[in-house]
Amino acid sequence: THRVYIGGGSRTYSQHKDASRFCSMYDAHKNRWFKLPDTNYEHCHHPLLFIADESPNVIVITGNDQHDIGLSECLDLREHVKPQKTVKWHIVDQHRQLSQYIQIDTDALIRRLCV
């Protein structure tokens, strides 16, 4: 693949106003960065972006803080290329949220790495 996606992160260490909702894509063929729509929710600590094999045009982002993994959101990239179309992130169905598959032990919280 020739694209790289980044999203989420700490507001403290970013020039962007709210990096925890920021998302962009780098296209190596065009040697250009493209701003994608901001997410609806923060993905500050340990965000995870992935594209499932069965849905190569849909990006999913999840991750929030050391207390929970937050809500998973998805963006359909096919909508991004349609003219005059307002593209936005959508909340992943409740039964497909990552939190349904991963239990976080509150005694073993991830140490907060960003301020």
Side-chain angles (χ1 to χ4, degrees):
T1 164
H2 61 280
R3 294 180 177 165
V4 175
Y5 300 92
I6 62 168
S10 172
R11 288 175 285 216
T12 305
Y13 301 110
S14 174
Q15 65 186 10
H16 302 287
K17 191 169 164 184
D18 191 354
S20 65
R21 296 179 62 228
F22 185 79
C23 197
S24 61
M25 173 190 75
Y26 176 73
D27 187 318
H29 288 170
K30 296 179 180 178
N31 194 26
R32 258 184 84 194
W33 282 97
F34 296 90
K35 171 122 174 45
L36 296 174
D38 287 347
T39 59
N40 296 305
Y41 295 91
E42 291 185 347
H43 300 282
C44 182
H45 303 280
H46 317 291
L48 169 69
L49 274 101
F50 63 92
I51 297 174
D53 290 338
E54 65 273 7
S55 302
N57 294 308
V58 177
I59 303 172
V60 177
I61 186 169
T62 195
N64 187 25
D65 62 27
Q66 73 271 26
H67 299 289
D68 66 54
I69 55 178
L71 288 174
S72 299
E73 301 181 64
C74 63
L75 179 72
D76 190 333
L77 296 171
R78 294 168 292 194
E79 298 295 317
H80 193 63
V81 296
K82 292 182 181 177
Q84 300 177 345
K85 173 78 176 166
T86 302
V87 182
K88 61 183 181 175
W89 290 83
H90 300 279
I91 305 300
V92 173
D93 294 334
Q94 184 63 32
H95 69 281
R96 299 184 86 179
Q97 289 287 328
L98 192 57
S99 61
Q100 297 294 315
Y101 305 99
I102 297 175
Q103 295 295 325
I104 295 181
D105 183 355
T106 55
D107 293 332
L109 295 176
I110 300 167
R111 194 175 91 204
R112 188 174 178 144
L113 299 176
C114 52
V115 179

